[in-house]
Coordinates of all heavy atoms in Angstrom, one line a residue:
R1024 N 0.8 -1.2 0.0 CA 0.0 0.0 0.0 C 0.9 1.3 0.0 O 0.4 2.3 -0.6 CB -0.9 0.0 1.3 CG -2.1 -0.9 1.1 CD -2.9 -0.8 2.3 NE -4.0 -1.8 2.3 CZ -4.7 -2.2 3.3 NH1 -4.5 -1.6 4.4 NH2 -5.6 -3.1 3.2
T1025 N 2.0 1.2 0.7 CA 2.8 2.4 0.8 C 3.6 2.6 -0.6 O 4.1 1.6 -1.1 CB 3.8 2.4 1.9 OG1 4.7 1.2 1.7 CG2 3.1 2.3 3.2
P1026 N 3.6 3.8 -1.1 CA 4.3 4.0 -2.4 C 5.8 3.7 -2.1 O 6.4 4.1 -1.1 CB 4.1 5.4 -2.7 CG 3.7 6.1 -1.4 CD 3.0 5.0 -0.6
A1027 N 6.4 3.1 -3.2 CA 7.8 2.9 -3.1 C 8.6 4.2 -3.1 O 8.2 5.1 -3.8 CB 8.2 2.0 -4.3
E1028 N 9.7 4.2 -2.3 CA 10.4 5.4 -2.3 C 11.2 5.5 -3.7 O 11.8 4.6 -4.2 CB 11.5 5.3 -1.2 CG 10.9 5.4 0.2 CD 11.9 5.3 1.2 OE1 13.1 5.6 1.0 OE2 11.6 5.0 2.3
T1029 N 11.1 6.7 -4.2 CA 11.8 6.9 -5.6 C 13.2 7.4 -5.3 O 13.4 8.5 -4.8 CB 11.0 7.9 -6.4 OG1 10.8 9.1 -5.7 CG2 9.6 7.3 -6.8
K1030 N 14.2 6.6 -5.6 CA 15.5 7.0 -5.5 C 15.9 7.5 -6.9 O 15.5 7.0 -7.9 CB 16.4 5.8 -5.2 CG 16.3 5.3 -3.7 CD 17.4 4.3 -3.4 CE 16.9 2.9 -3.7 NZ 17.9 1.9 -3.3
P1031 N 16.8 8.6 -6.8 CA 17.3 9.1 -8.1 C 18.1 7.9 -8.8 O 18.8 7.1 -8.3 CB 18.2 10.2 -7.7 CG 18.6 10.0 -6.3 CD 17.4 9.2 -5.7
A1032 N 17.8 7.8 -10.1 CA 18.4 6.7 -10.9 C 19.9 7.0 -11.0 O 20.4 8.1 -11.2 CB 17.8 6.7 -12.3
E1033 N 20.7 5.9 -10.8 CA 22.1 6.0 -11.0 C 22.4 6.3 -12.4 O 21.8 5.8 -13.3 CB 22.8 4.7 -10.5 CG 22.6 4.6 -9.0 CD 23.4 3.4 -8.5 OE1 24.4 3.0 -9.2 OE2 23.0 2.8 -7.4
P1034 N 23.4 7.1 -12.6 CA 23.8 7.5 -14.1 C 24.3 6.2 -14.8 O 24.9 5.3 -14.2 CB 24.9 8.5 -13.9 CG 25.4 8.5 -12.5 CD 24.2 7.8 -11.7
T1035 N 23.9 6.2 -16.0 CA 24.4 5.0 -16.9 C 25.9 5.1 -17.2 O 26.5 6.2 -16.9 CB 23.5 4.9 -18.1 OG1 23.8 6.1 -18.9 CG2 22.1 4.8 -17.9
E1036 N 26.4 4.2 -17.8 CA 27.8 4.2 -18.1 C 28.1 5.3 -19.2 O 29.1 6.0 -19.1 CB 28.2 2.8 -18.6 CG 29.7 2.6 -18.8 CD 30.0 1.1 -19.2 OE1 29.4 0.2 -18.6 OE2 30.9 1.0 -20.1
I1037 N 27.2 5.4 -20.1 CA 27.4 6.5 -21.1 C 27.4 7.9 -20.5 O 28.1 8.7 -20.9 CB 26.4 6.3 -22.2 CG1 26.6 5.0 -23.0 CG2 26.3 7.5 -23.2 CD1 25.5 4.6 -24.0
E1038 N 26.4 8.1 -19.5 CA 26.4 9.4 -18.9 C 27.6 9.6 -18.1 O 28.1 10.8 -18.2 CB 25.1 9.4 -18.0 CG 23.8 9.4 -18.7 CD 22.6 9.3 -17.8 OE1 22.7 8.8 -16.6 OE2 21.5 9.6 -18.2
L1039 N 28.2 8.6 -17.4 CA 29.4 8.8 -16.7 C 30.6 9.1 -17.6 O 31.4 10.1 -17.4 CB 29.7 7.5 -15.9 CG 28.9 7.3 -14.7 CD1 29.2 6.0 -14.0 CD2 29.1 8.4 -13.6
L1040 N 30.6 8.5 -18.8 CA 31.7 8.8 -19.8 C 31.6 10.2 -20.3 O 32.6 10.9 -20.5 CB 31.7 7.7 -20.8 CG 32.1 6.4 -20.5 CD1 31.9 5.3 -21.6 CD2 33.6 6.3 -20.1
A1041 N 30.3 10.6 -20.5 CA 30.1 12.0 -21.0 C 30.6 13.0 -19.9 O 31.2 14.0 -20.3 CB 28.7 12.2 -21.3
Q1042 N 30.3 12.7 -18.6 CA 30.7 13.7 -17.6 C 32.3 13.7 -17.6 O 32.8 14.7 -17.4 CB 30.2 13.2 -16.3 CG 28.7 13.4 -16.1 CD 28.2 12.8 -14.8 OE1 28.9 12.3 -14.0 NE2 26.9 13.0 -14.6
I1043 N 32.9 12.6 -17.7 CA 34.4 12.5 -17.7 C 34.9 13.3 -18.8 O 35.9 14.1 -18.7 CB 34.9 11.1 -17.7 CG1 34.5 10.3 -16.4 CG2 36.4 11.0 -17.9 CD1 34.7 8.8 -16.4
R1044 N 34.3 13.2 -20.0 CA 34.8 13.8 -21.2 C 34.7 15.3 -21.0 O 35.6 16.1 -21.3 CB 33.9 13.4 -22.4 CG 34.3 14.1 -23.7 CD 33.2 14.1 -24.7 NE 32.1 14.8 -24.3 CZ 30.8 14.6 -24.6 NH1 30.6 13.7 -25.4 NH2 29.8 15.3 -24.0
D1045 N 33.5 15.8 -20.5 CA 33.3 17.2 -20.2 C 34.3 17.8 -19.2 O 34.8 18.9 -19.4 CB 31.9 17.5 -19.7 CG 30.8 17.2 -20.7 OD1 31.2 17.1 -22.0 OD2 29.6 17.0 -20.4
T1046 N 34.6 17.0 -18.2 CA 35.6 17.4 -17.2 C 37.0 17.5 -17.8 O 37.7 18.5 -17.6 CB 35.7 16.4 -16.0 OG1 34.4 16.3 -15.5 CG2 36.6 16.9 -15.0
L1047 N 37.3 16.6 -18.7 CA 38.6 16.6 -19.4 C 38.8 17.8 -20.3 O 39.8 18.5 -20.4 CB 38.9 15.4 -20.1 CG 39.2 14.1 -19.2 CD1 39.3 12.9 -20.1 CD2 40.5 14.3 -18.5
I1048 N 37.6 18.2 -20.9 CA 37.6 19.3 -21.9 C 37.8 20.6 -21.0 O 38.6 21.5 -21.5 CB 36.3 19.4 -22.7 CG1 36.3 18.2 -23.7 CG2 36.1 20.7 -23.3 CD1 35.0 18.1 -24.4
E1049 N 37.1 20.7 -19.9 CA 37.3 21.9 -19.0 C 38.7 22.0 -18.6 O 39.3 23.1 -18.5 CB 36.3 21.7 -17.8 CG 34.9 22.0 -18.2 CD 34.7 23.4 -18.7 OE1 35.3 24.4 -18.1 OE2 33.9 23.6 -19.6
Q1050 N 39.4 20.9 -18.2 CA 40.7 20.9 -17.7 C 41.7 21.3 -18.8 O 42.7 22.1 -18.6 CB 41.2 19.6 -17.2 CG 40.5 19.2 -15.8 CD 40.9 17.8 -15.4 OE1 41.6 17.0 -16.1 NE2 40.5 17.5 -14.1
R1051 N 41.5 21.0 -20.0 CA 42.3 21.2 -21.2 C 42.3 22.7 -21.5 O 43.2 23.4 -22.0 CB 41.9 20.4 -22.4 CG 43.0 20.4 -23.4 CD 42.6 19.6 -24.7 NE 42.2 18.2 -24.4 CZ 41.6 17.4 -25.2 NH1 41.3 17.9 -26.4 NH2 41.3 16.2 -24.9
R1052 N 41.1 23.4 -21.4 CA 40.9 24.8 -21.7 C 41.7 25.6 -20.7 O 42.2 26.6 -21.1 CB 39.4 25.2 -21.5 CG 38.6 24.7 -22.6 CD 37.2 25.4 -22.4 NE 36.3 24.7 -23.3 CZ 35.0 24.7 -23.1 NH1 34.4 25.3 -22.1 NH2 34.2 24.1 -24.0
G1053 N 41.8 25.2 -19.5 CA 42.5 26.0 -18.5 C 41.6 27.0 -17.9 O 40.5 27.4 -18.3
P1054 N 42.1 27.6 -16.7 CA 41.3 28.6 -16.0 C 41.1 29.9 -16.8 O 42.2 30.4 -17.4 CB 42.0 28.8 -14.7 CG 43.3 28.4 -14.9 CD 43.3 27.4 -16.0

């Protein structure tokens, strides 16, 4: 009867790779 707690979905492997790519691009640009 009680609604299931909705946990945020864990990022997929592709999403994690995209985040890593974006971080590397930011590091390459420099401050």
